[in-house]
Amino acid sequence: MPLHSIAVPDSIAKLPHTEDAERLIDRANERIEAFMLSEKTTIENFVPCDFHLLDQALTWIDQNHLMTGRRFCEIGSGFGVGALLASLRQWESVGIEIEPRLVEQSNELADELQNEAQFYCGSFIPRGIDDLADWATEVKNVDSEEGDVYDEIGWDMGDFDLFFAFPWPGEHGFFEAVFEACAADGALLLTYRGREGMDLVRKV
Ligand SMILES: C[S@@+](CC[C@H](N)C(=O)[O-])C[C@H]1O[C@@H](n2cnc3c(N)ncnc32)[C@H](O)[C@@H]1O
């Protein structure tokens, strides 16, 4: 099995947040609400995850020393809250988002909070994946165009230790397939699954 499942206990929901994380989440929620109200056209594919649960999952991964290094990438980063929370842990943190308005919002939030996460506009899907066209037929809410954003970042998917994504229901298989094809052995993929909570796999 190239992807090994790691059970994330429900008890992570009891883990505390730092003051900085609480402040970040509160400010992000305020900005997201203001952005949604002010935009004339909605961004259909953008829905924020449960930021508190995401922060707790990152804490749990950190406390259990599950990462093989300190590089984090939020794929489809929306407002960038996952990348910003990761950066609070002094991880080298990147968000990749295809919608320019969301990248602008992420950068503004990072500036306001003096957070060092870096945001890039483009597709998280690298070029040259053989079976991409077949997998892409299974997703409606992911833009399946390939991009060159990793050239701009200076790292490719194989250089990251932990990825986070919030796939739409039924679309997590696409993220796992891209992760399995391109991530390094030992890398982790954390996905938010709505009411089912957090799911974690390692490429082995
Ligand atoms: C469900 S939202 C999740 C946002 C954020 N990760 C969160 O949890 O709050 C998915 C995001 O992925 C973005 N997206 C879709 N296809 C993409 C692609 N190929 N590359 C980068 N971003 C993409 C969408 O624009 C959207 O903002």
Side-chain angles (χ1 to χ4, degrees):
M1 278 286 280
L3 294 188
H4 170 72
S5 190
I6 299 173
V8 180
D10 293 342
S11 58
I12 65 164
K14 294 189 184 131
L15 290 171
H17 305 280
T18 63
E19 274 180 30
D20 284 347
E22 289 283 16
R23 183 165 148 260
L24 192 164
I25 292 169
D26 287 349
R27 195 62 193 112
N29 283 329
E30 286 166 8
R31 276 179 164 268
I32 289 169
E33 195 180 342
F35 175 77
M36 300 287 208
L37 290 172
S38 69
E39 285 298 289
K40 292 193 183 74
T41 52
T42 49
I43 301 173
E44 302 285 345
N45 290 339
F46 171 62
V47 179
C49 72
D50 178 339
F51 299 140
H52 283 98
L53 189 62
L54 172 55
D55 186 52
Q56 288 160 324
L58 297 180
T59 298
W60 182 79
I61 287 168
D62 201 16
Q63 285 178 347
N64 287 281
H65 308 290
L66 297 181
M67 286 166 74
T68 50
R70 299 165 65 82
R71 283 194 185 152
F72 174 93
C73 185
E74 183 171 17
I75 49 178
S77 50
F79 249 72
V81 178
L84 294 166
L85 287 169
S87 183
L88 289 183
R89 296 171 160 78
Q90 315 306 323
W91 299 343
E92 293 182 276
S93 182
V94 163
I96 303 174
E97 168 57 52
I98 206 155
E99 168 56 58
R101 286 176 289 169
L102 293 175
V103 177
E104 192 182 324
Q105 290 295 318
S106 304
N107 279 322
E108 284 180 13
L109 184 55
D111 285 348
E112 180 188 327
L113 298 170
Q114 297 181 308
N115 185 295
E116 292 187 1
Q118 300 292 311
F119 295 96
Y120 295 87
C121 192
S123 176
F124 70 83
I125 303 166
R127 292 189 194 280
I129 301 177
D130 286 344
D131 299 323
L132 186 69
D134 294 339
W135 306 336
T137 59
E138 290 165 26
V139 290
K140 290 194 176 65
N141 300 290
V142 186
D143 190 323
S144 56
E145 131 193 7
E146 299 152 278
D148 299 313
V149 74
Y150 297 98
D151 289 346
E152 199 186 331
I153 296 170
W155 299 329
D156 61 30
M157 276 192 88
D159 292 322
F160 289 96
D161 305 295
L162 172 60
F163 294 87
F164 169 69
F166 174 17
W168 282 69
E171 298 193 350
H172 61 270
F174 179 82
F175 287 80
E176 287 184 351
V178 172
F179 170 77
E180 192 178 326
C182 303
D185 286 350
L188 297 166
L189 172 65
L190 177 71
T191 49
Y192 175 63
R193 303 283 182 89
R195 263 177 283 173
E196 288 161 38
M198 291 289 176
D199 184 273
L200 185 64
V201 292
R202 187 189 295 284
K203 183 171 170 183
V204 291

